[in-house]
Amino acid sequence: MSDTNTPYDTLFRTAFEKPETANELTLVLLPKTHAGRLAGARVTVEPESLVDDRARIHRTDLLLEFRWPRRKARASSSRTAYVYILYEHKSYRSRWVTVQLLRSMATIWQRHATERKRHRNEPLPEILPVVLYHGTKRWNAPLQFAELIANGRDSPHVPHYQPVFVDLTEIPDEQITGSLWAVLGLVALKYSRLPLNQDATDRLTELLHRGEADPAVRHLVRAVQTSTRR
């Protein structure tokens, strides 16, 4: 990772850079209809960020590739799909976040268009963009890309897309489920910008104690302790 990464970035990438925990994250963030469509695929995580160095002080990302065996892919679809999560952790909302998303999506599609040889007629893979917002103010910037363009809403020449939007601070605790590693990572991120009431303190303390007792999770415990010091 670039040295422009913040403690939020470091904790986010540490918690969810493994394929199994990245997949767990999609189950928390995505609507069930979207998550169900990805079932049965092999998941890999892109090791490098698509966010340029200048922007990494405010955001990081996670690109998950979902791949099905060719015999299971429908003739009208690609055997590969992506979930691209842009983790936006400015203290305020960013009006241009969908521009960053479009740039990253175009990069992914260009890779496929360039590398495609044997299966030239196969459609480009679907990319499901997700904005995971972690700010202190309520989001009120446009999420429909066409709204950012003059006359864009009525123009057939402008991309019309809208990402899945999730405010991390508003995810109910009972919705954060999965392995100890995934739950600890997401709970720690959620409360790193929220006042710690007694219930939140108790839950985070209990998760840290369980993680300390599990050798497989201690590395994440250290990352949480480093990243969430106040």
Side-chain angles (χ1 to χ4, degrees):
M1 289 184 291
S2 165
D3 59 8
T4 59
N5 282 84
T6 71
Y8 297 118
D9 297 324
T10 302
L11 178 54
F12 179 75
R13 295 289 300 197
T14 300
F16 299 110
E17 65 186 357
K18 296 179 180 179
E20 57 272 23
T21 51
N23 190 39
E24 289 183 273
L25 180 63
T26 66
L27 296 177
V28 174
L29 301 184
L30 297 182
K32 289 183 179 180
T33 53
H34 289 62
R37 288 166 50 205
L38 301 173
R42 181 174 62 87
V43 183
T44 57
V45 178
E46 174 77 26
E48 298 299 326
S49 173
L50 296 174
V51 177
D52 60 65
D53 286 344
R54 185 173 58 178
R56 286 184 197 170
I57 193 171
H58 298 305
R59 59 177 66 105
T60 191
D61 59 354
L62 203 63
L63 177 61
L64 287 68
E65 179 188 77
F66 292 78
R67 183 176 290 269
W68 293 266
R70 182 163 295 280
R71 64 181 180 277
K72 293 185 179 180
R74 299 188 304 275
S76 61
S77 66
S78 172
R79 65 191 180 113
T80 302
Y82 292 93
V83 174
Y84 181 67
I85 303 172
L86 190 64
Y87 174 46
E88 182 80 13
H89 52 79
K90 284 183 178 180
S91 59
Y92 55 93
R93 55 262 174 193
S94 173
R95 180 174 176 82
W96 309 115
V97 66
T98 50
V99 176
Q100 173 68 58
L101 280 170
L102 184 60
R103 175 183 178 183
S104 298
M105 293 162 70
T107 297
I108 298 164
W109 281 319
Q110 184 61 56
R111 287 180 187 172
H112 279 265
T114 301
E115 296 170 0
R116 189 150 299 184
K117 294 179 181 179
R118 290 179 54 200
H119 306 288
R120 294 179 181 176
N121 294 326
E122 186 177 276
L124 293 172
E126 177 185 13
I127 304 173
L128 180 59
V130 180
V131 174
L132 180 59
Y133 176 59
H134 191 200
T136 56
K137 297 181 180 179
R138 184 171 294 276
W139 186 279
N140 63 0
L143 286 168
Q144 169 55 250
F145 179 80
E147 292 184 15
L148 299 174
I149 310 298
N151 303 315
R153 181 177 286 277
D154 300 318
S155 172
H157 311 296
V158 169
H160 289 251
Y161 84 96
Q162 183 166 322
V164 173
F165 176 82
V166 181
D167 187 331
L168 176 57
T169 64
E170 294 185 358
I171 299 177
D173 278 2
E174 59 271 18
Q175 186 178 319
I176 302 176
T177 60
S179 67
L180 175 58
W181 185 288
V183 172
L184 173 58
L186 202 52
V187 169
L189 281 169
K190 173 182 176 179
Y191 285 108
S192 62
R193 272 195 165 153
L194 289 176
L196 277 174
N197 58 31
Q198 191 59 52
D199 287 344
T201 299
D202 291 345
R203 185 169 196 214
L204 188 54
T205 299
E206 185 261 339
L207 288 169
L208 287 168
H209 284 165
R210 287 174 56 199
E212 191 66 57
D214 187 340
V217 186
R218 285 178 191 159
H219 174 62
L220 180 59
V221 171
R222 299 292 177 266
V224 171
Q225 292 170 334
T226 300
S227 301
T228 59
R229 282 186 187 135
R230 298 178 178 231

